[in-house]
Amino acid sequence: MTNQKIFDDLRDAIASQNIAGCAQLTQEALDAGIPPLEMITKGLSAGMKIVGERFEAAEIFLPQIMMSAKAMEAAMKILTPELEKTKGESEGTGLAVTFVAEGDIHDIGHRLVTTMLGANGFEILDLGVDVLNETVVEEAAKHKGEKVVLVGSALMTTSMLGQKDLMDRLREEGLRDSVKCMFGGAPVSGKWIAEIGADATAENAAEAAKVALEIMQ
Ligand code: HCB
């Protein structure tokens, strides 16, 4: 079987809410030596994109999205330990405070980004989902003087707006210059990052880790 066929099968397992099939295909692909990150970007995430488009077109509804998310989770349960195995040297890389914006519970991408940051040597403080900006500011204050990057995710245009408020609060509290700030998630663009005065964004988890390492130099 070609790699492309494997990616297409993974994509289709997500898009058709095939939870058991998705786990099985993921294990088989892993056993066949396909790199986990390629499975995620070329297969599983492509499936999630289709799910989002079908939801927007009212072709599917929330229960189906939840089933697709479960299929993705089943695959990630297999792939996360593999991603963590690549863990590099962590001396002095810094602390990554990861979180999903207030009002937002989409955590698949957030968890993936958190795993990749950990695998690239960052110490991780994962605040989880639906996190108040106050909490993030408190953590930034607690770790003032250390090398810290705030890594926020937002999947909805509404929750993304909270990122501007977070940047304003960091400036008000005199903490802006003591942390690096990066945000991501489908609605986040480079233009938005420039508008709110953050440091960076990234398209996917592998790039997020690369960008985080760059801005922490
Ligand atoms: Co949800 N949902 N959803 N949803 N959902 C989206 C996000 C829409 C775009 C679907 C659509 O309309 N096309 C939409 C938002 C529209 C908008 O605001 N523009 C939407 C909506 C409306 C909703 C509800 C309001 C639906 C309702 O209740 N009526 C509701 C909101 C719940 C809430 O948060 N309060 C809701 C609920 C759900 C679930 C629970 C059913 C489920 C989430 C399950 C979970 O996460 N545990 C869900 C899902 C799965 C989706 C879609 C289909 C997929 C999201 C996903 O997991 N993608 C999504 C459609 C889409 O995004 N195209 C849809 C896969 C991951 C791997 O990608 O983009 O999250 P990612 O992360 C990437 C990337 O962005 C980057 O790296 C990651 C890994 O490669 N990245 C960063 C992420 N964070 C970063 C941080 C950095 O610093 C740098 C890079």
Side-chain angles (χ1 to χ4, degrees), residues 40 45 48-49 51-53 55-56 62 65-66 69 72-73 103-113 151-158 182-186 200-205 208:
I40 294 166
S45 292
M48 273 305 195
K49 192 159 175 281
V51 170
E53 285 161 3
F55 179 68
E56 209 163 358
L62 220 46
I65 299 196
M66 287 168 93
M72 181 88 184
E73 273 166 30
D104 198 329
I105 60 160
H106 294 90
D107 70 346
I108 296 173
H110 155 78
R111 283 195 270 158
L112 201 44
V113 169
V151 185
S153 304
L155 264 287
M156 298 187 290
T157 40
T158 44
M182 61 183 286
F183 298 105
T201 183
E203 279 289 316
N204 57 47

Side-chain angles (χ1 to χ4, degrees), residues 68-83:
S68 290
K70 279 199 192 316
M72 181 88 184
E73 273 166 30
M76 289 312 298
K77 211 169 156 190
I78 296 167
L79 297 180
T80 302
E82 298 302 318
L83 294 172

Side-chain angles (χ1 to χ4, degrees), residues 15-75:
S16 62
Q17 294 91 38
N18 183 355
I19 300 171
C22 190
Q24 192 186 331
L25 283 167
T26 301
Q27 189 60 57
E28 283 169 10
L30 198 57
D31 295 343
I34 310 285
L37 261 179
E38 283 193 36
M39 286 189 232
I40 294 166
T41 51
K42 297 181 181 168
L44 302 165
S45 292
M48 273 305 195
K49 192 159 175 281
I50 293 173
V51 170
E53 285 161 3
R54 288 185 181 159
F55 179 68
E56 209 163 358
E59 289 167 10
I60 59 166
F61 301 95
L62 220 46
Q64 283 101 323
I65 299 196
M66 287 168 93
M67 298 293 275
S68 290
K70 279 199 192 316
M72 181 88 184
E73 273 166 30

Side-chain angles (χ1 to χ4, degrees), residues 144 169-178:
K144 195 171 177 176
R169 283 178 188 232
L170 287 169
R171 279 186 279 267
E172 279 161 24
E173 299 294 327
L175 291 164
R176 173 62 187 100
D177 294 335
S178 55

Side-chain angles (χ1 to χ4, degrees), residues 3-217:
N3 285 7
Q4 189 55 53
K5 168 86 172 92
I6 292 171
F7 300 140
D8 291 350
D9 287 350
L10 286 168
R11 178 201 62 201
D12 295 346
I14 293 282
S16 62
Q17 294 91 38
N18 183 355
I19 300 171
C22 190
Q24 192 186 331
L25 283 167
T26 301
Q27 189 60 57
E28 283 169 10
L30 198 57
D31 295 343
I34 310 285
L37 261 179
E38 283 193 36
M39 286 189 232
I40 294 166
T41 51
K42 297 181 181 168
L44 302 165
S45 292
M48 273 305 195
K49 192 159 175 281
I50 293 173
V51 170
E53 285 161 3
R54 288 185 181 159
F55 179 68
E56 209 163 358
E59 289 167 10
I60 59 166
F61 301 95
L62 220 46
Q64 283 101 323
I65 299 196
M66 287 168 93
M67 298 293 275
S68 290
K70 279 199 192 316
M72 181 88 184
E73 273 166 30
M76 289 312 298
K77 211 169 156 190
I78 296 167
L79 297 180
T80 302
E82 298 302 318
L83 294 172
E84 284 172 348
K85 272 185 200 163
T86 60
K87 199 171 169 74
E89 290 298 309
S90 59
E91 274 303 294
T93 309
L95 172 70
V97 180
T98 66
F99 55 96
V100 181
E102 184 177 354
D104 198 329
I105 60 160
H106 294 90
D107 70 346
I108 296 173
H110 155 78
R111 283 195 270 158
L112 201 44
V113 169
T114 302
T115 301
M116 287 309 292
L117 288 167
N120 279 272
F122 281 90
E123 191 191 332
I124 300 291
L125 174 59
D126 183 352
L127 300 177
V129 299
D130 189 13
V131 178
L132 297 178
N133 283 340
E134 274 162 59
T135 309
V136 181
V137 172
E138 272 168 30
E139 291 301 337
K142 226 184 270 176
H143 295 279
K144 195 171 177 176
E146 298 171 32
K147 277 177 84 177
V148 178
V149 59
L150 305 181
V151 185
S153 304
L155 264 287
M156 298 187 290
T157 40
T158 44
S159 57
M160 185 187 76
L161 296 179
Q163 295 169 348
K164 182 175 184 317
D165 174 60
L166 175 57
M167 294 307 297
D168 290 343
R169 283 178 188 232
L170 287 169
R171 279 186 279 267
E172 279 161 24
E173 299 294 327
L175 291 164
R176 173 62 187 100
D177 294 335
S178 55
V179 288
K180 295 290 179 188
C181 302
M182 61 183 286
F183 298 105
V188 176
S189 64
K191 186 167 170 277
W192 173 248
I193 293 296
E195 194 179 320
I196 65 174
D199 297 301
T201 183
E203 279 289 316
N204 57 47
E207 198 195 319
K210 195 168 148 258
V211 168
L213 287 169
E214 278 164 17
I215 62 176
M216 293 295 268
Q217 290 291 314

